[in-house]
């Protein structure tokens, strides 16, 4: 089989639409696989059968050791590659590994959006000696949107319903952002929340770029802005692929009288439903949590789904060993 490989910044408008249509057609499609999400230093690899795309991956090309060793490269697929036919998925990724060997890549990381089944009847790379797990099993929380709005709301935890109604009584409004000024206000809240909660935010300019793309596309996603007395107190970025919508980023400021996160998520669910989605994915979940983001997400109901772990395929053992050795040396230096 012959794979096509195209840098994302060289995609024609026609091919870009074809890529979008394919991702929308696959249950395992994910917004992170859209070429526009990946940005520069990325490429789309695809397989055609009878003139149509049947397998696709949007990959980031990384140099894990930085500029000192630009000749050591890795290919990384975030939530991909995508293909609902798991036998074809595995056959094509084997061909990709062979092509990468010819190009002298060090390793390949994949993270397909495959659901792990407890009965063991699920696609998995764990029995193949060429693949190694590189992380923990992932989980997410998905809300069924096929019911009517009243039923969806009734399935919320009591306190979640209360916080939505309290925000409404307090005069909180939620609207879809349409200006650069609104993006800037959201990003300021996002950065302040990162300092307050002690986490490292995603690169601000990348977040800005992706929000711009979502705003410019037709029903691909949105930045929802929450206001209290006309002042921006938070926002939520959501993105759609096929019939599923994902929560990607959220931020809010502390407010004594209202919890804006609940009403933002309620409007995110309504946006997804109004744009033809049948499922809303909270983008990550920790089962059994009794506080924090997971407990907050659980308040909206939904079903827990377990996804397979990310996997790594070593393509060039010599180059990969250089990565391992120098990474260890670097980590020892950091501890000192």
């Amino acid at each position: 089989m012959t794979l096509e490989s195209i840098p994302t910044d060289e995609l024609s408008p026609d091919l870009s639409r074809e890529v979008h249509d394919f991702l929308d057609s696959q249950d395992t499609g994910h917004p992170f696989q859209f070429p526009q999400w990946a940005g520069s230093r990325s490429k789309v690899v695809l397989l055609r059968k009878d003139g149509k795309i049947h397998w696709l991956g949007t990959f980031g090309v990384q140099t894990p050791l930085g500029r000192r060793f630009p000749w050591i490269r890795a290919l990384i697929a975030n939530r991909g590659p995508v293909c609902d036919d798991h036998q074809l998925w595995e056959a094509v990724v084997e061909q990709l590994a062979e092509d990468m060997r010819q190009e002298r890549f060090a390793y390949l990381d994949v993270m397909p959006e495959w659901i792990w089944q407890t009965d063991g009847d699920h696609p998995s790379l764990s029995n193949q000696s060429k693949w190694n797990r590189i992380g923990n099993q992932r989980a997410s929380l998905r809300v069924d949107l096929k019911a009517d709005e009243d039923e969806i709301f009734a399935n919320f935890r009591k306190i979640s319903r209360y916080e939505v109604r309290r925000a409404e009584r307090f005069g909180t409004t939620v609207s879809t952002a349409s200006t650069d000024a609104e993006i800037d206000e959201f990003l300021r809240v996002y950065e302040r929340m990162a300092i307050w909660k002690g986490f490292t935010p995603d690169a601000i300019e990348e977040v800005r770029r992706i929000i711009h793309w979502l705003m410019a596309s037709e029903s691909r996603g949105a930045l929802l802005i929450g206001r209290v007395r006309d002042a921006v107190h938070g926002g939520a970025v959501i993105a759609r692929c096929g019939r599923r919508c994902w929560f990607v980023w959220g931020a809010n400021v502390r407010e004594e009288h209202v919890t804006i996160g609940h009403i933002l998520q309620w409007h995110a669910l309504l946006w997804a439903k109004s744009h033809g989605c049948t499922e809303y994915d909270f983008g990550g979940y920790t089962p059994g949590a009794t506080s924090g983001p997971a407990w907050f997400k659980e308040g909206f109901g939904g079903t827990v789904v377990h996804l397979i772990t990310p996997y790594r395929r070593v393509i060039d053992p010599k180059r990969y060993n250089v990565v391992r050795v120098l990474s260890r040396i670097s980590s020892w230096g950091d501890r000192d």
Side-chain angles (χ1 to χ4, degrees), residues 26 122 187 208 296:
Q26 303 293 294
H122 60 279
L187 292 175
R208 185 193 307 277
F296 166 80

Side-chain angles (χ1 to χ4, degrees), residues 18 21 27 29 33-34 98 113 160 193 204 295 307 325:
E18 192 178 0
D21 289 344
D27 185 60
Q33 279 289 288
F34 288 119
E98 181 58 35
E113 196 79 343
S160 300
M193 191 180 76
I204 295 300
W295 188 88
L307 304 163
V325 170

